[in-house]
Amino acid sequence: MDRPLLRLNPGADRRVKAGHPWAFSNEIFARPGLREIPPGTVVRLEGDDGVKHGAWHFNPHSLIAARFLDPDPAAPCDAAWFRAKLAACLALRQRLFDAPFYRLVHAEADGLPGLVVDRYGDALAVQANTAGMDRALPDVLAALRELLDPRVVVARNDSAVRKLEGLEEGVSLLHGTDGSATVEEAGLSFPVDLLDGQKTGWFFDQRPNRLMVARLAKGCTVLDAFCHLGGFGLAAAQAGAAAVTLLDRSEHALDLAMQAAARAGFADRVTPLKAEALEHLERMAASGRRFEVVVADPPAFAKTRKDIPAALRGYAKLARLAATITAPGGILFIASCSHHVGPADFGEAVAWGVHRTHRRARILASVGAGPDHPVHPALPESAYLKGQLLALD
């Protein structure tokens, strides 16, 4: 197999030998012709000591230059290889869940760097965030069709991280003609728009946390801020919440959420509110509005490392506002999906924000994503979701 060989610089193999799935551009020996290798090429990677580190996707124009694929340097990394990897992902999810609604592939943690696949029964949303996975999409699609025979496959390649790989952003149908889908969770059925919705359409990562909050919402007034399709709020309504307010800036998402509420038969207990969530929380706090259960699950505040200080200030402000509108004896759930913000820093920001309200708080749970979002042991970035459940006096 005529596969390009890359070598790590002397002393630059410590992380790779420890199982880290990335090699950075400054760790790879800059041999002649290196930058002419087409982005997304499968290469062999070796240490300067000759130790073979397997097959990797390579992009000479990215800071994360190489991403681990297989311990065998000669692994074919073709449609059959992808089928075997995807079959392993499917087998694990089928052990975890009784119904076909889950994240099927979670990138590096599932051994498929840069690839995300969400399953909605007979519909799939695929996101290829690296040059290697973008180039491999035909093989990925062939494997998915062979394994699952989906009605539709949508490429949600509109993530900003693709720019870092030199890739264009866009949304397209890879297979099928109708981008609509349905997700079932906790006895509810939500319509999902795979073509025009947020990210891959639904946030499976918060599934166990939605159930956790719902168990505390019976008979309560609930605010679901940054609600998207109302996953937290409608789960609370299903569990017997007295009244639920869904707050989001997307009218389309709120319409879909209300369709789900109507389908479940409790739309009379659910109120949609279209507004910029952070701004409206400020107005609610100033007006004295209170809820017995408050959920604040915003989009990522830190898109890059340089955003971290501003993001931490943002989370502290969000915690202060959310705590202010939480009634005495109430429950607050607040989350961050910014992988650049670590759990300790997030917790400190939340603690500071709540402290400024002069409320006594007890942390009932510190949580992450559900098991269909596994974490790579050597890649803390794959544990991106952080949440805190607090009881406020």
Side-chain angles (χ1 to χ4, degrees), residues 93-117:
R93 272 60 178 189
Q94 288 176 331
R95 292 179 69 183
L96 292 170
F97 302 103
D98 295 328
F101 304 97
Y102 40 69
R103 173 150 293 184
L104 176 61
V105 179
H106 192 49
E108 277 82 349
D110 278 310
L112 292 164
L115 182 67
V116 170
V117 181

Side-chain angles (χ1 to χ4, degrees), residues 11 97 103 105 110 123 139 185 203 254 299 325 346:
F97 302 103
R103 173 150 293 184
V105 179
D110 278 310
D139 285 341
E185 182 178 305
F203 300 115
L254 289 171
I325 63 173
F346 174 67

Side-chain angles (χ1 to χ4, degrees), residues 356-373:
R356 292 181 63 195
T357 68
H358 307 291
R359 305 282 297 279
R360 189 171 80 92
R362 287 166 287 173
I363 299 173
L364 304 181
S366 295
V367 299
D372 51 347
H373 290 63

Side-chain angles (χ1 to χ4, degrees), residues 235-250:
Q238 176 84 340
V244 174
T245 299
L246 304 179
L247 173 59
D248 201 273
R249 67 181 181 182
S250 169

Side-chain angles (χ1 to χ4, degrees), residues 8-217:
L8 295 166
N9 286 319
D13 60 353
R14 180 180 58 84
R15 289 183 319 98
V16 169
K17 281 184 174 178
H20 201 287
W22 296 346
F24 292 93
S25 57
N26 62 357
E27 295 175 326
I28 295 173
F29 177 67
R31 67 168 174 78
L34 185 73
R35 294 186 66 81
E36 279 68 57
I37 296 175
T41 297
V42 179
V43 301
R44 295 173 291 147
L45 185 68
E46 294 185 2
D48 73 302
D49 55 2
V51 173
K52 295 177 173 58
H53 296 298
W56 299 60
H57 271 153
F58 179 62
N59 185 348
H61 310 304
S62 174
L63 175 63
I64 304 172
R67 298 173 187 261
F68 177 76
L69 292 171
D70 197 284
D72 179 4
C77 302
D78 55 8
W81 183 90
F82 276 101
R83 188 192 183 285
K85 298 288 283 189
L86 290 165
C89 293
L90 178 61
L92 176 59
R93 272 60 178 189
Q94 288 176 331
R95 292 179 69 183
L96 292 170
F97 302 103
D98 295 328
F101 304 97
Y102 40 69
R103 173 150 293 184
L104 176 61
V105 179
H106 192 49
E108 277 82 349
D110 278 310
L112 292 164
L115 182 67
V116 170
V117 181
D118 281 349
R119 185 181 186 190
Y120 306 92
D122 62 358
L124 301 174
V126 177
Q127 196 169 72
N129 290 323
T130 62
M133 284 302 165
D134 191 71
R135 187 170 175 173
L137 264 181
D139 285 341
V140 171
L141 179 61
L144 289 171
R145 292 186 65 181
E146 184 179 347
L147 281 169
L148 297 172
D149 189 26
R151 170 183 57 84
V152 62
V153 182
V154 174
R156 284 305 304 249
N157 288 330
D158 52 348
S159 170
V161 298
R162 283 175 58 92
K163 293 180 182 177
L164 302 176
E165 292 279 311
L167 301 171
E168 294 182 356
E169 298 177 55
V171 177
S172 61
L173 280 164
L174 297 178
H175 168 68
T177 59
D178 179 9
S180 64
T182 300
V183 62
E184 296 176 9
E185 182 178 305
L188 297 169
S189 179
F190 296 82
V192 177
D193 188 342
L194 299 184
L195 290 170
D196 294 318
Q198 292 183 32
K199 295 191 175 180
T200 53
W202 177 256
F203 300 115
F204 283 117
D205 52 1
Q206 291 279 25
R207 177 184 351 222
N209 304 326
R210 286 189 283 265
L211 294 175
M212 176 182 67
V213 172
R215 284 195 292 268
L216 301 171

